[in-house]
């Protein structure tokens, strides 16, 4: 089975909440809409394929919340995706 390993390699503080993860209200903090309460956004991702090695950036796309979208892959092919539970969980893969 083909394996895809995703590594989150770049992060930045969320400019909307300043890294707080919420609106800063002590009486009723509301999670930030942009980072969904995590305080950081993903700025760089590395995707490694067990068959092709590290994929060039043109073979995948990602968003600031860490969702990765593979491009030009057969939808019927079985692929096992290995990634940390969440992008901001940096204790996962290294």
């Amino acid at each position: 089975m083909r394996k895809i390993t995703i590594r989150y390699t770049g992060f930045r503080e969320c400019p909307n909440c300043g890294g707080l993860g919420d609106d800063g209200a002590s009486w009723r903090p509301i999670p930030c809409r942009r980072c969904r309460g995590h305080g950081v956004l993903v700025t760089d991702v590395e995707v490694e394929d067990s068959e092709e090695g590290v994929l060039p950036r043109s073979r995948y796309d990602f968003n600031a919340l860490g969702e990765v979208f593979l491009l030009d892959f057969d939808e019927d092919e079985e692929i096992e995706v290995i990634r940390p539970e969440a992008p901001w969980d940096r204790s996962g893969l290294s």
Side-chain angles (χ1 to χ4, degrees):
M1 178 187 295
R2 192 173 195 172
K3 292 184 181 182
I4 302 290
T5 304
I6 298 173
R7 292 182 192 90
Y8 301 100
T9 57
F11 299 90
R12 72 178 174 123
E13 185 178 275
C14 177
N16 193 51
C17 67
L20 296 173
D22 59 38
D23 63 359
S26 60
W27 60 278
R28 186 188 69 159
I30 299 171
C32 174
R33 290 183 190 178
R34 187 163 183 188
C35 67
R36 296 196 180 150
H38 297 286
V40 294
L41 301 173
V42 176
T43 59
D44 199 17
V45 173
E46 180 181 87
V47 178
E48 185 175 351
D49 183 356
S50 62
E51 293 180 7
E52 299 179 34
V54 176
L55 297 177
R57 181 69 176 80
S58 61
R59 299 284 313 273
Y60 63 92
D61 197 9
F62 68 95
N63 63 24
L65 294 175
E67 298 169 324
V68 176
F69 307 95
L70 301 173
L71 307 175
D72 298 328
F73 276 81
D74 184 13
E75 290 185 21
D76 297 330
E77 185 176 5
E78 273 193 51
I79 298 175
E80 179 184 358
V81 177
I82 303 168
R83 70 180 188 101
E85 178 117 355
W88 30 88
D89 178 17
R90 299 177 200 168
S91 64
L93 302 172
S94 53

